[in-house]
Amino acid sequence: MTAQPFDIRPVQAGDHAAWLPLWQGYQRFYRADIPDCTSEETWQRFLDPREPMHAALAWQGERAVGLVHYLFHRSCWTVGDYCYLQDLFVIEDLRGAGIGRRLIEHVYAQATAAGAARVHWLTHETNRDAMQLYDRLAERSGFVQYRKVL
Protein backbone atom coordinates (compact mmCIF):
# COMPACT_ATOMS: atom_id res chain seq x y z
CA MET A 1 0.00 0.00 0.00
CA THR A 2 1.47 3.36 -1.05
CA ALA A 3 1.14 6.25 1.39
CA GLN A 4 -0.75 9.27 0.15
CA PRO A 5 1.65 12.11 -0.78
CA PHE A 6 2.09 15.00 1.60
CA ASP A 7 3.29 18.60 1.40
CA ILE A 8 5.21 20.75 3.87
CA ARG A 9 4.47 24.45 4.14
CA PRO A 10 4.92 27.26 6.67
CA VAL A 11 1.92 27.95 8.89
CA GLN A 12 -0.51 30.66 7.90
CA ALA A 13 -3.00 32.55 10.06
CA GLY A 14 -5.87 30.27 8.97
CA ASP A 15 -4.00 27.12 10.06
CA HIS A 16 -4.56 27.48 13.80
CA ALA A 17 -7.38 24.91 13.94
CA ALA A 18 -5.18 22.38 12.13
CA TRP A 19 -2.05 23.18 14.17
CA LEU A 20 -3.59 23.09 17.66
CA PRO A 21 -4.55 19.37 17.79
CA LEU A 22 -1.04 18.44 16.63
CA TRP A 23 0.49 20.74 19.26
CA GLN A 24 -1.72 19.17 21.90
CA GLY A 25 -0.73 15.68 20.69
CA TYR A 26 2.93 16.64 21.03
CA GLN A 27 2.30 17.79 24.59
CA ARG A 28 0.52 14.53 25.43
CA PHE A 29 3.43 12.54 23.98
CA TYR A 30 5.88 14.34 26.29
CA ARG A 31 3.41 14.51 29.18
CA ALA A 32 3.67 18.29 29.16
CA ASP A 33 0.97 20.69 30.28
CA ILE A 34 1.60 24.00 28.54
CA PRO A 35 -0.91 26.70 29.51
CA ASP A 36 -3.33 27.76 26.78
CA CYS A 37 -2.11 31.36 27.05
CA THR A 38 1.45 30.21 26.27
CA SER A 39 0.26 28.21 23.26
CA GLU A 40 -1.66 31.23 22.00
CA GLU A 41 1.38 33.50 22.41
CA THR A 42 3.51 30.90 20.62
CA TRP A 43 1.05 30.82 17.72
CA GLN A 44 1.15 34.63 17.45
CA ARG A 45 4.95 34.56 17.40
CA PHE A 46 4.92 32.16 14.46
CA LEU A 47 2.85 34.69 12.50
CA ASP A 48 4.99 37.73 13.41
CA PRO A 49 7.74 38.27 10.81
CA ARG A 50 9.84 40.12 13.44
CA GLU A 51 10.05 36.97 15.58
CA PRO A 52 12.81 34.37 15.09
CA MET A 53 10.26 31.58 15.67
CA HIS A 54 8.82 29.55 12.80
CA ALA A 55 6.46 26.63 12.23
CA ALA A 56 5.52 24.39 9.34
CA LEU A 57 2.85 21.77 8.91
CA ALA A 58 2.87 18.56 6.92
CA TRP A 59 -0.36 18.23 4.97
CA GLN A 60 -1.87 15.09 3.50
CA GLY A 61 -4.60 16.50 1.34
CA GLU A 62 -6.63 18.78 3.59
CA ARG A 63 -5.43 17.10 6.80
CA ALA A 64 -2.47 18.37 8.85
CA VAL A 65 -0.48 15.29 9.90
CA GLY A 66 2.73 16.72 11.37
CA LEU A 67 4.35 19.85 12.70
CA VAL A 68 7.78 21.32 13.23
CA HIS A 69 8.73 24.40 15.26
CA TYR A 70 12.14 26.00 14.97
CA LEU A 71 13.88 29.20 15.92
CA PHE A 72 17.07 31.04 15.12
CA HIS A 73 19.47 32.24 17.79
CA ARG A 74 22.94 33.74 18.02
CA SER A 75 26.03 31.78 18.94
CA CYS A 76 29.37 32.84 20.39
CA TRP A 77 31.00 30.12 18.29
CA THR A 78 29.96 31.13 14.77
CA VAL A 79 29.09 34.19 12.71
CA GLY A 80 25.94 32.50 11.38
CA ASP A 81 23.02 31.90 13.70
CA TYR A 82 22.12 28.46 14.96
CA CYS A 83 18.73 26.98 14.20
CA TYR A 84 17.10 25.13 17.07
CA LEU A 85 14.52 22.56 15.96
CA GLN A 86 12.40 22.72 19.09
CA ASP A 87 9.36 20.56 18.39
CA LEU A 88 8.66 17.78 15.89
CA PHE A 89 5.49 15.71 15.83
CA VAL A 90 3.78 13.35 13.39
CA ILE A 91 0.42 11.73 14.08
CA GLU A 92 0.83 8.19 15.34
CA ASP A 93 -0.74 6.32 12.43
CA LEU A 94 1.66 7.95 9.93
CA ARG A 95 4.93 7.59 11.82
CA GLY A 96 7.51 5.84 9.70
CA ALA A 97 6.03 7.23 6.44
CA GLY A 98 8.83 9.77 5.94
CA ILE A 99 6.97 12.79 7.26
CA GLY A 100 9.36 13.40 10.17
CA ARG A 101 12.33 13.20 7.81
CA ARG A 102 10.72 15.70 5.44
CA LEU A 103 9.93 18.09 8.28
CA ILE A 104 13.55 17.98 9.44
CA GLU A 105 14.75 18.48 5.87
CA HIS A 106 12.40 21.47 5.61
CA VAL A 107 14.15 23.00 8.63
CA TYR A 108 17.56 22.21 7.10
CA ALA A 109 16.53 24.06 3.92
CA GLN A 110 15.19 27.07 5.85
CA ALA A 111 18.32 27.22 8.00
CA THR A 112 20.57 27.00 4.94
CA ALA A 113 18.62 29.79 3.22
CA ALA A 114 18.97 31.96 6.35
CA GLY A 115 22.73 31.40 6.50
CA ALA A 116 22.60 29.41 9.73
CA ALA A 117 25.74 27.54 10.77
CA ARG A 118 24.00 24.62 12.45
CA VAL A 119 20.66 22.94 13.13
CA HIS A 120 20.39 21.26 16.52
CA TRP A 121 17.70 19.64 18.65
CA LEU A 122 17.02 17.55 21.72
CA THR A 123 14.90 14.50 22.33
CA HIS A 124 14.14 12.48 25.40
CA GLU A 125 16.34 9.43 25.89
CA THR A 126 13.25 7.20 25.82
CA ASN A 127 12.21 8.41 22.34
CA ARG A 128 13.98 5.46 20.69
CA ASP A 129 11.89 5.32 17.50
CA ALA A 130 12.61 8.95 16.67
CA MET A 131 16.28 8.52 17.57
CA GLN A 132 16.63 5.90 14.84
CA LEU A 133 15.67 8.58 12.33
CA TYR A 134 17.78 11.28 13.99
CA ASP A 135 20.86 9.05 13.93
CA ARG A 136 20.51 8.88 10.13
CA LEU A 137 20.00 12.64 9.66
CA ALA A 138 22.48 14.16 12.12
CA GLU A 139 25.22 13.29 14.56
CA ARG A 140 24.89 13.06 18.32
CA SER A 141 26.82 15.81 20.02
CA GLY A 142 27.66 13.87 23.16
CA PHE A 143 26.55 16.80 25.29
CA VAL A 144 24.18 16.35 28.22
CA GLN A 145 21.57 19.01 28.85
CA TYR A 146 21.32 20.64 32.28
CA ARG A 147 18.53 23.05 33.15
CA LYS A 148 16.87 24.90 35.96
CA VAL A 149 13.30 26.03 35.60
CA LEU A 150 12.86 29.61 36.81
Side-chain angles (χ1 to χ4, degrees):
M1 179 173 142
T2 304
Q4 184 178 357
F6 55 91
D7 296 307
I8 311 288
R9 67 171 169 77
V11 296
Q12 302 171 5
D15 293 338
H16 186 268
W19 168 83
L20 187 59
L22 294 170
W23 178 229
Q24 292 167 335
Y26 178 85
Q27 292 175 54
R28 279 190 302 278
F29 180 84
Y30 279 110
R31 295 181 179 92
D33 187 19
I34 297 172
D36 291 343
C37 63
T38 301
S39 292
E40 184 55 35
E41 181 66 24
T42 297
W43 177 254
Q44 293 306 317
R45 288 175 178 165
F46 293 147
L47 301 177
D48 186 342
R50 296 168 298 177
E51 287 284 346
M53 295 179 66
H54 305 276
L57 294 173
W59 293 90
Q60 195 171 58
E62 298 295 314
R63 177 181 170 207
V65 296
L67 66 74
V68 67
H69 301 154
Y70 58 100
L71 57 103
F72 292 96
H73 65 91
R74 300 281 189 218
S75 170
C76 295
W77 291 29
T78 61
V79 173
D81 287 347
Y82 284 0
C83 179
Y84 177 52
L85 191 163
Q86 188 166 28
D87 309 306
L88 177 72
F89 181 76
V90 174
I91 61 172
E92 190 170 358
D93 61 321
L94 288 178
R95 292 184 190 150
I99 297 169
R101 172 185 289 274
R102 286 270 310 277
L103 287 164
I104 292 170
E105 289 171 346
H106 173 82
V107 173
Y108 285 174
Q110 297 304 306
T112 298
R118 172 187 296 174
V119 175
H120 65 108
W121 66 90
L122 303 168
T123 195
H124 195 272
E125 62 189 12
T126 60
N127 196 3
R128 303 254 183 250
D129 290 340
M131 289 170 66
Q132 290 178 23
L133 171 63
Y134 302 160
D135 286 344
R136 290 191 300 271
L137 295 177
E139 59 187 57
R140 290 190 198 194
S141 67
F143 284 89
V144 176
Q145 180 191 33
Y146 289 83
R147 66 181 175 192
K148 177 170 178 50
V149 176
L150 303 176

